[in-house]
Amino acid sequence: MARYELGLDVAKLDAIDMHVHVEIDGHGHCSLPDDLNEASSKYFKAEDRHPTLEKIADTYRSLNMAAVVFTVDARTALKHEPNSIEDLIAGAAEHSDVLIPFGSVDPRTGEEAIARAKHQALELGARGFKFHPSLQGFDPSSEEFYPLWETLAELGLPAVFHTGQNGMGAGLPGGHGIKLKYSNPLLLDDVAADFPGLTVIMAHPSVPWQDEAISIATHKSNVFIDLSGWSPKYFPQSLVRAANSMLAEKVLFGTDFPLITPAKWLGAFADLPLKDEVRPKILKDNAVKLLGLGAAEGKR
């Protein structure tokens, strides 16, 4: 299996979408069990809930954008194997001009999670990791998981954590047992404080904890916010103000594709009252710095 290597022509890209899901692999296996798939499809009203990795690549290539792609390994909580992360990274290697793969491991598997993280990063070429504390059923601030965060810090790769309101399980009895409290961004404040060498990305406007997320990102230089999962027309005003001022270099473009398309997100983003100099930072420049996509790593 070929190791992923960056193939982006960074200078020619218009934007980098930091939050794109690949929820089906080449064998037709989905990342979620059927009941969660059906509920989330109803909740999000996505036009195409399970585009292939190839279709995702074609979509972003046609838009002159790159996309960070990932899935979530929640095998313990869901009692369901994830779609193949190995296939995801290998597929991204075939489309390295537009795709940047992040890995994912189940923190609740302990030493196995650490071994998988090292394998995905060092042998397969994953450029970061994705976690969903509510879906995976764990408290990221628990010291039980500190060896994993230490490993990611040593690898020098960023970690994306779902925060805020959760569409997974929405509308089901008991929310399918998924607990929102694990997605409170304050739990990531402990992680960021205790692992200052780990880049933490808080995914989504963190409703109902938006002020907490802004405070953490303002306080800690290793914490960022991606704007995925919500149309910009629904962003809390506090987030828009922060993105336009003290967090102008800490906020990242993200859609949550296929749940929200780039066209819809960008259409609403154009209506936000942002300074002209802030927009390119959010759409591309901040991601270039965070991901280390300088000229030395991309095509010259």
Side-chain angles (χ1 to χ4, degrees), residues 1-7 53 69 71 73 75 82-96 99-105 112-129 155 157:
M1 183 175 293
R3 186 179 188 277
Y4 174 84
E5 301 290 346
L6 279 169
L53 187 141
V69 292
T71 188
D73 184 342
R75 65 185 68 201
N83 51 313
S84 174
I85 295 166
E86 290 77 13
D87 285 358
L88 187 157
I89 298 174
E94 295 179 5
H95 299 279
S96 62
L99 300 184
I100 305 167
F102 275 26
S104 184
V105 298
E112 181 182 350
I114 293 173
R116 285 180 183 272
K118 290 180 178 178
H119 171 67
Q120 292 174 18
L122 300 175
E123 297 179 37
L124 302 183
R127 303 287 298 193
F129 287 86
L155 290 170
L157 296 176

Side-chain angles (χ1 to χ4, degrees), residues 53-276:
L53 187 141
E54 289 73 20
K55 184 174 181 179
I56 292 170
D58 288 343
T59 296
Y60 281 86
R61 193 176 287 115
S62 70
L63 295 170
N64 200 36
M65 297 180 187
V68 171
V69 292
F70 46 67
T71 188
V72 177
D73 184 342
R75 65 185 68 201
T76 302
L78 298 182
K79 297 179 175 58
H80 178 86
E81 290 289 313
N83 51 313
S84 174
I85 295 166
E86 290 77 13
D87 285 358
L88 187 157
I89 298 174
E94 295 179 5
H95 299 279
S96 62
D97 60 315
V98 290
L99 300 184
I100 305 167
F102 275 26
S104 184
V105 298
D106 182 350
R108 293 172 62 179
T109 59
E111 290 294 329
E112 181 182 350
I114 293 173
R116 285 180 183 272
K118 290 180 178 178
H119 171 67
Q120 292 174 18
L122 300 175
E123 297 179 37
L124 302 183
R127 303 287 298 193
F129 287 86
K130 170 63 190 300
F131 299 95
H132 195 310
S134 288
L135 191 66
Q136 294 172 309
F138 79 103
D139 177 350
S141 70
S142 170
E143 293 189 4
E144 173 186 355
F145 307 109
Y146 272 29
L148 178 56
W149 311 145
E150 182 177 8
T151 297
L152 299 191
E154 291 172 351
L155 290 170
L157 296 176
V160 180
F161 293 85
H162 174 96
T163 65
Q165 172 66 21
N166 197 327
M168 295 296 110
L172 294 178
H176 200 272
I178 294 169
K179 297 177 180 178
L180 299 180
K181 67 179 181 180
Y182 293 139
S183 293
N184 188 326
L186 277 178
L187 300 178
L188 298 175
D189 187 58
D190 284 14
V191 177
D194 293 339
F195 297 93
L198 176 63
T199 297
V200 173
I201 302 171
M202 298 184 292
H204 318 308
S206 301
V207 177
W209 303 293
Q210 189 59 69
D211 288 345
E212 287 89 334
I214 290 171
S215 179
I216 297 165
T218 303
H219 187 247
K220 293 177 169 63
S221 65
N222 55 320
V223 177
F224 296 77
I225 295 173
D226 88 33
L227 299 174
S228 65
W230 293 69
S231 169
K233 64 184 176 181
Y234 298 124
F235 285 175
Q237 286 304 304
S238 60
L239 177 59
V240 177
R241 287 193 299 270
N244 212 22
S245 54
M246 71 274 198
L247 293 186
E249 296 185 357
K250 304 292 290 294
V251 173
L252 306 157
F253 163 47
T255 59
D256 221 6
F257 185 80
L259 305 178
I260 297 176
T261 66
K264 287 183 178 180
W265 195 97
L266 289 168
F269 180 72
D271 293 332
L272 291 183
L274 295 173
K275 301 172 185 174
D276 290 343

Side-chain angles (χ1 to χ4, degrees), residues 11-34:
K12 293 184 178 180
L13 293 173
D14 292 331
I16 299 174
D17 188 336
M18 288 291 296
H19 201 110
V20 173
H21 289 269
V22 180
E23 299 198 345
I24 192 168
D25 60 27
H27 305 287
H29 181 71
C30 292
S31 62
L32 299 172
D34 290 343

